[in-house]
Amino acid sequence: MAESAVAVGTGQAVHVHHEELGFWRTYVFSTDHKMIGRQFLFLGLFMMILGGLLALMIRWQLAWPETQIPGLRWVPEPFMYDGAMGPEFYNAVFTMHATIMIFFVVMPILVGCFGNFLIPLMIGARDMAFPVLNMLSFWVGAVSGVIMLAGFFVPGGHAAGGWTAYAPLTAVTQYTGVNWGQNIWCISLILLGISSLMGSINYITTIINMRAPGMTFFRLPLVIWSLFIVAILLLLALPVLTSALAMLLFDRMLGTSFFLPAGGGEPLLWQHLFWFFGHPEVYVLILPAMGVASEVLSVFARKPIFGYRAMAYSMIAIAFLSWIVWGHHMFQSGMNPALATSFMVSTMVIAVPSAIKTFNWLGTLWGGSIRFTTPMLHGLAFVSMFVIGGLSGIFMASTPVDIFIHDTYFIVAHIHYVVFGGSVFGIFAAIAYWFPKLFGRMMNETLGKIHFWLTFLAFNGTFFPMHILGVGGHMRRIYNPMQYEFLQPLQPVNVFITVSALVLGIVQIPFVINFFWSLFAGKKAERNPWQANTLEWTAPSPPPHGNWGDTLPVVYGGPYEYSPPGVSEDYLPQTQSRVPHLAAAH
Amino acid sequence: MAGGTVADPVLDESGLHLTEVPPVVPPSPHEADLPPPSPPPRKEPFVSNARLGMLMFLAFEAMFFGGLLGAFLVFRLAAVHWPPPGQPYLPGVVTWINTGILLSSGVTMRRALRAIRDGNQSGLMNGLGVTALLGAIFLAVQGGEWVRLVRYGLTLTSGTYGSTFYTLIGCHGVHVLGAVVWLLVILLQSARYRFTARDHVGVQLCGMYWTFVVGLWPVLFGLVYLY
Ligand code: HEM
Ligand SMILES: [Cu+2]
């Protein structure tokens, strides 16, 4: 897949910089940040299909428990029994659905692909600071993905303790019967941490040291700000997960007792370490999408982003606060109520910068001349769905309410409003917006809009009713809701959700068609098809090796000068100084 | 396009034909700070790419040890008796001496760096050699003590006491080992006169890493052995 993408890429690149690197160096072991970005994109999209299929299997089981899933009769035991899922496999499936979606879809696409592709292009650099490290980052990530998938095929099945891998469930083989699956899960994520470390080092160094002349920090596009902050969060949060994973592996394989009460260990320690990483991690998933939304909203409302500095500062505030809220995942772990209250307060406080951002997006839209392109629609969906997810977050953040809804489908609804409604709509917006720069061709708008509207409807049909299930007491991660008498009246909701989810899966087909069709046959993109200001649009589409010809761009202004006074156009690229009326006339 | 400076096609597309940097106009509501009349020349970065990257790597390492130390402290602070009844005390005197050895290796590493900054090749080689030697001695002494502890019955499986001790100190040991190997590589390169007074990034990076593993030790020693 990756090769075809690149074939498009070189077509236009040749006449600027004629460099023959050969097939392997150009497409496979490339050190060009754009190629590495594309590689991450394809990795993420491939994994998204897998993760999506797993989700549909979960949904089928919940709507029509223990019935045959159409088309899956060929799957052998012990995975499926004549097409019906067994409980052990069900556990592995929901564990892997979340693991894949979080670590191998949203992170590779938002951070891996767009981080790599956009950072040098938007700050005016020719490449990342450490191109070879960058290549290694992708390949270590890809290997870790392969290892993760291999876990399905080991005896005992794949990890089945949830993506949060709570000990001691995950620390002792006897509890779940999963042996190598859990080990592989740990090893794969340790490797992914190393891949991410290499990425973070590159992103931070590049942004600090390699900005074009005139590109001050407060002229950086917000998406670069978000990626910068994400890189710092990942750099400092992932090692904590790595240490926890190492301890879990040692407990499993070497007989230590970090998380095992029998040897004096402490299961809650896992939760603390995991969520100390985990909460910054959820912001890793959402911040780049926030950045993407800021770009897209401003460009298509033809207005400067409302409160640029407030946007940057609120992201910084989120980054700081995200270190002190992890306990909100552990309210029901029996923690000291005074501690729970402080976590509740800090969590409510982190909602403030999130709200600032939301109001600023609304302020950006206010009075704009909005162009409802596909990326804009996804951007608008991002804002509105993030509001719903953020609000349900506030419910759960208040300890008395959380007693009732913790570990129910309310949480599942929240997760999906922020991660699908937020991050994935952000991904769709980003792909639609930067596709011309990534591949030199435009995506089809009609197909894009069809895909958007159907996805938007099916998404809400799938995830909104989960709030109802949750308030009704429907636990998450259960194999068969029909086993509980009090859940039986809610079963029609489960069926409705599953039907919506199936629709949601099917309506991704237009996206896939659009993606691949546009890759080969889309309209050729000009340099700046959206009349945007940021630097990537001053490079050819797609940019050649080295991004710009002989001279690098020089920056004179901020990234959001849309409809500026005194300029005949309704935008002012960052490479141009603000000019009076006269200078613009020709 | 080649050689195009300001008259890049980009500018043409937007309809503005500018051959010179245009004059500055009054501040717009969009951006408070005025664009500078001419762009500031690209400054030399405050910290070079390589050193910045290394600093980041060390931050990662610090957080990794932070996780392990956090786990240790959870058990240590909750324990009434530490070591738990029936478990051995950790070697005191030997480790004090060993701490001295490791810390002095930090000094010799500084010496090596100062030497190459003055272009003193033999000073560099001596410094690196002594540093590597001290590191190796530290590891050997640690290994010897581990053997004694294991003989005494303290293993990874001896509850949280053994788990935290071997994991933390073992992780540090692996880092020292890695650093010694790196030192040897640098030593080999310096024997081929790879480094000059002006360009010795390799030595600098290795020095930063060495400083980290040396500086981490007193923290571990204080918390795990003395506290
Ligand atoms: C206004 C901001 C937010 C608040 C106040 C908030 C609050 C919370 C709380 C209190 C929980 C724990 C509920 C429980 O388990 O009982 C939770 C879970 C979760 N949140 Fe958020 N959240 C916010 C934003 C986000 C964002 C932006 C994301 C991701 C992009 C996110 C992803 C998650 C995930 C994945 C979980 C579930 C983890 C699990 O147990 O599997 N949240 N949130
Ligand atoms: Cu959280």
Side-chain angles (χ1 to χ4, degrees):
Chain A
M1 273 196 287
E3 291 117 49
S4 45
V6 186
V8 186
T10 27
Q12 304 196 335
V14 234
H15 69 104
V16 181
H17 256 247
H18 206 284
E19 267 178 68
E20 280 306 325
L21 278 173
F23 173 81
W24 289 95
R25 291 284 314 280
T26 320
Y27 304 136
V28 184
F29 298 109
S30 170
T31 55
D32 184 306
H33 71 101
K34 299 176 292 296
M35 187 56 58
I36 297 170
R38 293 181 194 114
Q39 290 172 329
F40 269 117
L41 180 64
F42 283 101
L43 173 73
L45 290 177
F46 171 73
M47 289 295 220
M48 190 190 261
I49 295 174
L50 281 187
L53 291 176
L54 293 179
L56 294 185
M57 289 167 70
I58 300 173
R59 279 318 316 173
W60 186 280
Q61 166 67 20
L62 288 172
W64 304 289
E66 294 170 66
T67 58
Q68 206 179 67
I69 304 180
L72 289 188
R73 279 186 72 171
W74 56 274
V75 183
E77 291 175 24
F79 300 111
M80 309 275 272
Y81 299 90
D82 193 28
M85 227 190 306
E88 294 84 6
F89 187 51
Y90 176 82
N91 289 348
V93 166
F94 75 65
T95 302
M96 292 319 296
H97 161 70
T99 305
I100 288 180
M101 286 301 193
I102 289 170
F103 293 104
F104 293 99
V105 176
V106 176
M107 282 171 71
I109 298 185
L110 278 181
V111 187
C113 164
F114 287 103
N116 262 308
F117 188 75
L118 294 179
I119 289 175
L121 274 170
M122 290 181 104
I123 67 173
R126 293 204 186 275
D127 207 317
M128 286 283 182
F130 310 108
V132 176
L133 208 61
N134 209 12
M135 173 192 78
L136 280 176
S137 161
F138 172 75
W139 282 107
V140 172
V143 167
S144 114
V146 171
I147 292 179
M148 188 57 94
L149 294 184
F152 276 112
F153 306 104
V154 296
H158 213 321
W163 82 281
T164 50
Y166 276 13
L169 183 65
T170 49
V172 181
T173 302
Q174 286 74 37
Y175 293 163
T176 51
V178 177
N179 186 14
W180 267 98
Q182 192 68 45
N183 298 347
I184 280 182
W185 187 87
C186 295
I187 293 167
S188 163
L189 289 187
I190 290 176
L191 276 181
L192 193 71
I194 295 170
S195 151
S196 158
L197 164 68
M198 295 190 271
S200 296
I201 290 181
N202 248 321
Y203 293 5
I204 300 173
T205 310
T206 307
I207 293 176
I208 291 183
N209 275 355
M210 298 174 67
R211 283 166 288 125
M215 179 61 94
T216 59
F217 260 92
F218 282 107
R219 282 175 178 170
L220 286 177
L222 287 170
V223 70
I224 300 299
W225 263 108
S226 74
L227 289 162
F228 182 57
I229 292 167
V230 159
I232 297 175
L233 287 179
L234 279 175
L235 181 76
L236 300 178
L238 263 178
V240 178
L241 177 70
T242 307
S243 73
L245 290 168
M247 288 186 251
L248 186 59
L249 261 185
F250 287 175
D251 273 6
R252 296 180 58 81
M253 305 180 74
L254 302 179
T256 56
S257 41
F258 288 103
F259 307 120
L260 295 170
E266 176 60 272
L268 276 182
L269 174 64
W270 170 267
Q271 295 192 25
H272 279 291
L273 290 171
F274 184 86
W275 288 118
F276 185 80
F277 147 81
H279 192 85
E281 165 70 17
V282 305
Y283 278 99
V284 165
L285 304 178
I286 200 75
L287 281 172
M290 291 176 161
V292 170
S294 305
E295 303 303 316
V296 166
L297 259 54
S298 178
V299 170
F300 294 110
R302 311 309 290 167
K303 274 188 63 195
I305 196 85
F306 188 90
Y308 169 86
R309 283 191 185 229
M311 291 298 242
Y313 286 133
S314 56
M315 281 195 278
I316 295 173
I318 287 177
F320 273 105
L321 289 169
S322 67
W323 297 106
I324 53 164
V325 297
W326 80 91
H328 65 218
H329 296 275
M330 300 170 59
F331 287 150
Q332 308 318 315
S333 66
M335 64 163 59
N336 183 332
L339 191 59
T341 308
S342 18
F343 278 125
M344 167 169 121
V345 172
S346 62
T347 305
M348 302 261 177
V349 172
I350 207 173
V352 174
S354 312
I356 293 177
K357 297 192 72 74
T358 306
F359 284 116
N360 283 359
W361 287 317
L362 298 182
T364 307
L365 295 173
W366 187 268
S369 37
I370 296 179
R371 301 178 180 170
F372 288 101
T373 58
T374 310
M376 181 60 161
L377 290 173
H378 285 291
L380 294 172
F382 165 87
V383 175
S384 42
M385 297 301 97
F386 176 71
V387 169
I388 299 182
L391 288 179
S392 60
I394 309 272
F395 282 70
M396 302 168 342
S398 67
T399 45
V401 182
D402 194 55
I403 294 175
F404 191 63
I405 53 183
H406 175 70
D407 253 340
T408 67
Y409 259 76
F410 198 89
I411 311 299
V412 182
H414 165 73
I415 299 174
H416 288 91
Y417 267 91
V418 283
V419 183
F420 195 132
S423 311
V424 176
F425 276 115
I427 287 176
F428 284 139
I431 292 178
Y433 182 62
W434 279 292
F435 196 88
K437 203 46 74 181
L438 272 162
F439 300 114
R441 293 178 187 268
M442 307 296 290
M443 281 181 102
N444 181 295
E445 275 289 306
T446 316
L447 265 179
K449 284 186 178 134
I450 292 174
H451 165 246
F452 167 76
W453 282 110
L454 293 177
T455 303
F456 187 75
L457 290 176
F459 164 78
N460 281 292
T462 306
F463 294 109
F464 200 83
M466 288 188 186
H467 293 109
I468 302 168
L469 283 186
V471 174
H474 193 309
M475 300 78 83
R476 64 195 280 208
R477 296 176 178 172
I478 53 172
Y479 172 61
N480 182 351
M482 298 296 274
Q483 287 172 343
Y484 304 88
E485 209 171 310
F486 73 102
L487 289 183
Q488 283 166 5
L490 286 173
Q491 195 55 18
V493 183
N494 259 329
V495 172
F496 178 83
I497 290 176
T498 297
V499 173
S500 306
L502 290 169
V503 174
L504 185 57
I506 291 167
V507 301
Q508 299 315 304
I509 293 173
F511 175 78
V512 176
I513 294 176
N514 193 358
F515 189 94
F516 285 101
W517 181 82
S518 307
L519 203 57
F520 299 108
K523 192 165 93 25
K524 279 249 159 54
E526 338 151 16
R527 257 174 207 247
N528 190 357
W530 312 117
Q531 289 98 39
N533 288 343
T534 40
L535 293 185
E536 77 273 30
W537 303 107
T538 65
S541 303
H545 197 61
N547 296 343
W548 287 274
D550 294 329
T551 43
L552 282 176
V554 167
V555 176
Y556 294 93
Y560 300 112
E561 302 286 312
Y562 292 103
S563 314
V567 174
S568 60
E569 303 277 334
D570 68 347
Y571 68 112
L572 185 69
Q574 285 189 278
T575 46
Q576 289 174 32
S577 184
R578 196 173 294 113
V579 243
H581 270 296
L582 299 175
H586 34 247
Chain B
M1 178 175 308
T5 46
V6 203
D8 208 74
V10 191
L11 301 186
D12 298 336
E13 266 168 32
S14 71
L16 296 169
H17 291 283
L18 308 170
T19 42
E20 293 227 49
V21 174
V24 175
V25 287
S28 94
H30 301 325
E31 201 195 55
D33 48 336
L34 282 174
S38 63
R42 200 201 205 116
K43 280 175 284 182
E44 265 302 295
F46 187 58
V47 184
S48 73
N49 283 358
R51 303 188 62 176
L52 194 55
M54 191 66 204
L55 277 178
M56 237 89 74
F57 175 64
L58 295 183
F60 181 96
E61 293 275 62
M63 288 304 283
F64 174 78
F65 277 99
L68 294 182
L69 265 178
F72 167 78
L73 285 176
V74 164
F75 301 125
R76 176 67 190 90
L77 293 175
V80 186
H81 300 289
W82 196 264
Q87 304 282 15
Y89 278 93
L90 300 173
V93 182
V94 183
T95 316
W96 268 112
I97 299 172
N98 217 10
T99 305
I101 293 175
L102 194 63
L103 288 182
S104 55
S105 81
V107 179
T108 55
M109 186 71 218
R110 294 277 109 202
R111 287 244 176 92
L113 269 167
R114 214 171 309 136
I116 187 61
R117 232 174 280 149
D118 301 335
N120 174 354
Q121 298 284 352
S122 62
L124 171 68
M125 277 180 261
N126 281 338
L128 291 176
V130 175
T131 311
L133 187 69
L134 290 173
I137 294 177
F138 173 82
L139 282 177
V141 175
Q142 288 282 81
E145 292 305 307
W146 275 36
V147 172
R148 285 205 326 161
L149 285 170
V150 172
R151 284 230 188 92
Y152 196 91
L154 183 67
T155 64
L156 261 179
T157 51
S158 335
T160 49
Y161 186 62
S163 304
T164 51
F165 171 74
Y166 285 110
T167 308
L168 254 179
I169 305 302
C171 272
H172 179 260
V174 170
H175 278 73
V176 177
L177 184 65
V180 169
V181 172
W182 190 1
L183 271 175
L184 292 179
V185 172
I186 296 283
L187 184 61
L188 227 87
Q189 290 180 334
S190 66
R192 296 199 192 120
Y193 303 106
R194 262 285 304 277
F195 305 109
T196 61
R198 293 193 55 206
D199 178 21
H200 49 270
V201 189
V203 189
Q204 277 182 332
L205 296 188
C206 185
M208 289 168 78
Y209 191 61
W210 191 261
T211 311
F212 173 79
V213 294
V214 170
L216 180 63
W217 176 251
V219 181
L220 297 184
F221 180 52
L223 287 174
V224 178
Y225 285 76
L226 301 181
Y227 172 48

